[in-house]
Amino acid sequence: MSNIKLIIDERPANIGNFMVGRLLPFREKRMVGPFSFIDHMGPAAMSDHENLDVPPHPHIGLSTLTFLFEGEITHRDSLGNDVVIKPGQVNWMTSGSGIVHSERTPEYLRTTDKMLHGLQIWVALPKALEQMEPEFFHVEGKDIPEWQENGVNFKLIAGEAFGKKSPVPVYSPLYFIEIRSTSRQKINIGNDLFGESALYILEGAIESEGNIFEPKHILIANNAKLCEFEMHENTSVYIFGGEPFPEERFIYWNFVSSDKELIEEAKIKWLNQSYQPVPGETDFVRLPDPSKFIKR
């Protein structure tokens, strides 16, 4: 019996002036453990007059994880943080009761040809922490656990697995793992995982139960304990998951919560522009049709 429960294709989505491939949420699978949203950015070649510009916008009830393969992004937020994220580093922003941030091409790259490629991920907060004070952490690539086993490179970007712990300050049991191999290798890591589990193929291909799966797909597992597959040459995959929450999560725009009323309050607050502003920013992303409530 196959351990693959569902296959999700990457779908195009527009985030302002930049196209991404959306992987989660999906109509048949809204979340994997606490992971509620995944966008694959690029790879995009931008000329000297093209730049990423996502003006200030708010979040509640979640943590965002930004991880780049190529390029750089300036993150600014309402806490006063102004940080450039580069490949291999992690930006971890926890919105809690509310935070506003912008994402732009750094000033020193805006008139040059450039690449941008990475993942942007939302991780829902446990119900008891949905209204916590907002926080921001920037983690250097050298501080992320990385090791090699039998010619396979592993990196624990966030969470806990394999007896290791990432310095990214997560708020529920989860894992986000990078696995890379230049040669064909069999992988069996089921006993190291827990909760719900999924695998995203960035490049190359994997083989499972006689089937070959290629990039731009997420494979949702029936059982994390049975996570066995074969990586083809020059393959990179990301395994993510963790313990699901007992309560469902509702999503409207950039707001995630177990309580619809908190989302309605956030909508009104953004309409009234009563969130703390981002220093140095003057424009903002307008709320989509406030009469609509996009729910799980």
Side-chain angles (χ1 to χ4, degrees), residues 248-281:
E248 69 174 321
R249 291 297 183 274
F250 302 100
I251 300 176
Y252 168 83
W253 193 37
N254 301 317
F255 306 137
V256 175
S257 180
S258 61
D259 185 344
K260 291 182 181 180
E261 287 305 312
L262 290 176
I263 292 178
E264 293 303 314
E265 290 172 11
K267 288 165 59 176
I268 293 168
K269 194 171 178 179
W270 187 244
L271 279 170
N272 294 335
Q273 284 296 291
S274 53
Y275 280 99
Q276 187 75 18
V278 177
E281 295 275 15

Side-chain angles (χ1 to χ4, degrees), residues 75-119:
H75 160 99
R76 296 189 183 95
D77 64 42
S78 50
L79 299 179
N81 295 293
D82 188 336
V83 176
V84 174
I85 181 173
K86 300 181 180 183
Q89 301 173 339
V90 173
N91 271 5
W92 178 261
M93 183 184 75
T94 298
S95 61
S97 59
I99 197 168
V100 181
H101 75 132
S102 64
E103 297 159 292
R104 301 185 186 275
T105 298
E107 286 298 326
Y108 54 82
L109 293 178
R110 295 184 74 85
T111 57
T112 65
D113 294 343
K114 63 199 78 75
M115 290 290 296
L116 187 59
H117 189 200
L119 294 172

Side-chain angles (χ1 to χ4, degrees), residues 188-217:
N188 184 345
I189 57 174
N191 291 330
D192 298 289
L193 305 181
F194 56 88
E196 296 182 329
S197 186
L199 181 150
Y200 172 61
I201 306 165
L202 176 70
E203 58 188 356
I206 71 162
E207 207 164 322
S208 177
E209 298 158 338
N211 299 305
I212 295 176
F213 301 97
E214 297 183 328
K216 299 190 175 182
H217 293 92

